[in-house]
Amino acid sequence: QVQLVESGGGSVQAGGSLRLSCAASGYIVSNNCLGWFRQAPGKEREGVAGIHVSSGTPIYADSVKGRFTISQDRAKNTVYLQMNSLKPEDTAMYYCAARRCSWVVLAKYNYWGQGTQVTVSS
């Protein structure tokens, strides 16, 4: 079982930055992926960024490429999402997620955190 706890959400003006953190506990192995997803009111949940724990290889949604960076601290079992140049359309609940994987993907994650709210005002 994997437990995920997000932190770092908040309110920021457009153009600002936030860093989300996700502390993972439980059975974490190298062939896992950790990812960030978001869901805005009335919209489907979408994958934002993911990282293959063993290789450190990242993947990003096109909508955040060049603005968001995913990273990890394996000693702390923590994954981060640095969000720069935030836009109002980035407003959403952001969730950390985990899954077993042989390569980094942004689909079929089966462990989820409770989420942290990010609000970007114009």
Side-chain angles (χ1 to χ4, degrees):
Q1 192 74 357
V2 176
Q3 293 81 42
L4 304 165
V5 179
E6 305 96 334
S7 62
S11 297
V12 65
Q13 290 191 331
S17 298
L18 283 173
R19 188 176 82 154
L20 305 182
S21 299
C22 173
S25 60
Y27 188 55
I28 303 293
V29 296
S30 295
N31 56 333
N32 269 350
C33 286
L34 294 172
W36 288 98
F37 292 74
R38 67 186 181 187
Q39 187 167 21
K43 295 188 177 181
E44 292 187 356
R45 184 170 59 197
E46 64 170 336
V48 175
I51 189 165
H52 186 251
V53 171
S54 178
S55 68
T57 302
I59 188 172
Y60 297 98
D62 288 343
S63 58
V64 305
K65 281 181 182 176
R67 301 189 298 123
F68 291 12
T69 303
I70 189 169
S71 62
Q72 62 177 343
D73 184 332
R74 294 188 64 181
K76 295 181 179 179
N77 279 343
T78 299
V79 63
Y80 305 97
L81 185 67
Q82 179 66 44
M83 305 185 294
N84 298 329
S85 302
L86 282 162
K87 305 175 181 180
E89 51 263 44
D90 294 317
T91 295
M93 184 70 77
Y94 282 71
Y95 298 91
C96 180
R99 61 161 289 176
R100 295 288 296 272
C101 65
S102 57
W103 196 242
V104 62
V105 293
L106 274 177
K108 298 182 180 180
Y109 281 63
N110 50 3
Y111 296 101
W112 295 88
Q114 292 301 307
T116 185
Q117 178 67 37
V118 171
T119 302
V120 184
S121 58
S122 58

